């Protein structure tokens, strides 16, 4: 069997990790982003030349670095959950969650540098359709990263207190699932806005 | 192999796929092949995160299919939509 950080398949626990409500919330968030992505695709289809030209003005290295930061943060968070659920090791989990927070913080710093450069060039929401979507779509995601970091901070504080145990890790798993959703959205957003032409 | 080691290998695979995406963004000529590779990378990365980090394994087939469908179908439909409408 392929090893995984998830509990073994023959365990009687069959509910998805975390609270069921968080999965409805995650699906609703993904739907909201899908609508945003569809609006971007429609706008791009109307003016592909503008979008291709403007896409080349983006800092693709910053986009790639941010992808690496978010997937690394996701890995840290998954390891943190595993430390509690499989090993009942809250101290270790808090260190992994701190790693996740560092990844999220790094993402925000890189994104702020990107925004500073864009706004420094005099670009605003009304510069053109591409930048209207670029700024609003990435800022919408940026706000989700901030919310995810608030959640991770709470989880980190709770693991430091040893609140979660293998039998009582619903809150930890729910918060982690939300963070992974933020990562998933960026996995789609990065190629859509920065790569595909 | 321990679950921790396996997760680390998954993370390294995700890093490799991200670097491939970045190389595509910088070097590859725009076109159908580049777009298909980019779409495949999105689908694989998304499925890996859903399966191994979110913990949606075979015990949750419907939720996993729904999530996998999102990372595979949404980018693919957007690409097709964009290509068709742009003509």
């Amino acid at each position: 069997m392929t090893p995984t950080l998830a509990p073994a398949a023959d365990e009687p626990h069959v509910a998805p990790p975390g609270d069921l409500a968080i999965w409805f919330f995650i699906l609703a968030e993904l739907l909201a982003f899908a609508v945003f992505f569809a609006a971007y695709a429609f706008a791009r289809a109307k003016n592909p030349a503008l979008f291709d030209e403007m896409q080349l003005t983006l800092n693709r290295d910053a986009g790639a670095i941010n992808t690496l930061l978010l997937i690394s943060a996701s890995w840290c968070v998954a390891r943190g959950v595993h430390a509690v659920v499989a090993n009942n090791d809250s101290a270790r989990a808090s260190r992994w969650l701190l790693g996740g927070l560092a990844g999220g913080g790094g993402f925000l710093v890189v994104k702020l540098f990107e925004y500073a450069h864009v706004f420094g060039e005099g670009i605003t929401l009304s510069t053109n359709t591409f930048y209207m979507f670029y700024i609003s779509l990435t800022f919408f995601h940026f706000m989700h990263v901030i919310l995810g970091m608030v959640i991770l901070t709470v989880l980190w504080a709770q693991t430091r207190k040893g609140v979660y145990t293998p039998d009582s890790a619903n809150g930890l798993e729910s918060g982690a699932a939300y963070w992974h959703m933020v990562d998933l959205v960026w996995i789609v957003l990065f190629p859509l806005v920065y790569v595909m032409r | 192999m321990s679950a921790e080691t396996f997760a680390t290998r998954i993370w390294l695979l995700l890093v490799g796929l991200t670097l491939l995406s970045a190389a595509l963004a910088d070097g590859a000529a725009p076109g159908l092949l580049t777009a298909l590779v980019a779409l495949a990378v999105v689908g694989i990365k998304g499925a890996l995160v859903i399966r191994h980090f979110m913990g949606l394994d075979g015990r949750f087939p419907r939720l996993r299919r729904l999530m996998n469908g999102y990372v595979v179908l949404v980018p693919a439909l957007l690409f097709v939509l964009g290509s068709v409408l742009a003509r």
Side-chain angles (χ1 to χ4, degrees):
Chain A
M1 193 179 81
T2 309
T4 174
L5 291 182
D10 57 356
E11 287 180 13
H13 175 73
V14 289
D19 201 283
L20 190 59
I22 194 68
W23 290 100
F24 284 108
F25 186 60
I26 284 171
L27 292 173
E29 291 271 42
L30 289 176
L31 187 62
F33 271 103
V35 171
F36 222 148
F37 292 152
Y40 175 91
F42 272 109
R44 188 183 193 287
K46 282 185 180 172
N47 200 345
L50 170 78
F51 275 64
D52 286 352
E53 184 190 344
M54 291 297 113
Q55 198 178 41
L56 291 173
T57 66
L58 296 181
N59 187 339
R60 292 184 296 282
D61 290 340
I65 289 168
N66 267 344
T67 310
L68 293 174
L69 285 167
L70 280 192
I71 57 175
S72 301
S74 250
W75 170 63
C76 289
V77 171
R79 293 289 303 264
V81 172
H82 182 73
V84 168
V85 173
N87 302 323
N88 198 13
D89 189 344
S90 268
R92 194 169 187 196
S94 73
R95 289 195 293 274
W96 279 111
L97 290 176
L98 203 56
L101 277 168
F107 177 95
L108 295 181
V109 169
V110 172
K111 205 79 209 134
L112 285 173
F113 271 107
E114 239 187 300
Y115 285 143
H117 175 73
V118 167
F119 294 133
E121 295 283 312
I123 293 166
T124 66
L125 279 169
S126 51
T127 296
N128 58 42
T129 315
F130 174 83
Y131 270 108
M132 189 273 286
F133 273 102
Y134 165 76
I135 294 169
S136 52
L137 192 50
T138 58
F139 189 72
F140 189 47
H141 180 265
F142 185 88
M143 297 306 289
H144 281 76
V145 175
I146 291 176
L147 176 59
M149 287 188 66
V150 171
I151 292 169
L152 285 188
T153 304
V154 172
L155 298 180
W156 171 71
Q158 296 287 70
T159 49
R160 277 175 62 85
K161 291 180 198 163
V163 168
Y164 302 115
T165 65
D167 295 326
S168 173
N170 237 18
L172 178 63
E173 290 176 331
S174 299
Y178 182 84
W179 181 260
H180 296 313
M181 182 276 292
V182 172
D183 181 24
L184 270 185
V185 169
W186 185 259
I187 284 175
V188 176
L189 195 158
F190 169 61
L192 189 69
V193 176
Y194 290 78
V195 179
M196 285 202 284
R197 294 195 290 278
Chain B
M1 184 177 11
S2 72
E4 288 90 346
T5 305
F6 187 73
T8 301
R9 289 189 181 182
I10 294 295
W11 169 64
L12 289 172
L13 183 55
L14 288 166
V15 168
L17 289 168
T18 301
L19 295 176
L20 175 63
S21 274
L24 276 179
D26 278 338
L32 183 63
L33 184 63
T34 305
L36 288 178
V37 173
L39 288 172
V41 168
V42 173
I44 294 167
K45 282 169 68 178
L48 288 172
V49 169
I50 290 162
R51 167 79 173 85
H52 298 287
F53 290 173
M54 282 184 142
L56 292 181
D57 54 24
R59 295 167 302 156
F60 323 105
R62 287 182 183 171
L63 188 54
R64 187 166 68 153
R65 271 200 294 271
L66 200 59
M67 299 288 287
N68 281 343
Y70 185 89
V71 294
V72 172
L73 292 179
V74 168
L77 286 174
L78 293 179
F79 176 70
V80 171
L81 181 80
S83 303
V84 170
L85 289 178
R87 284 178 187 170

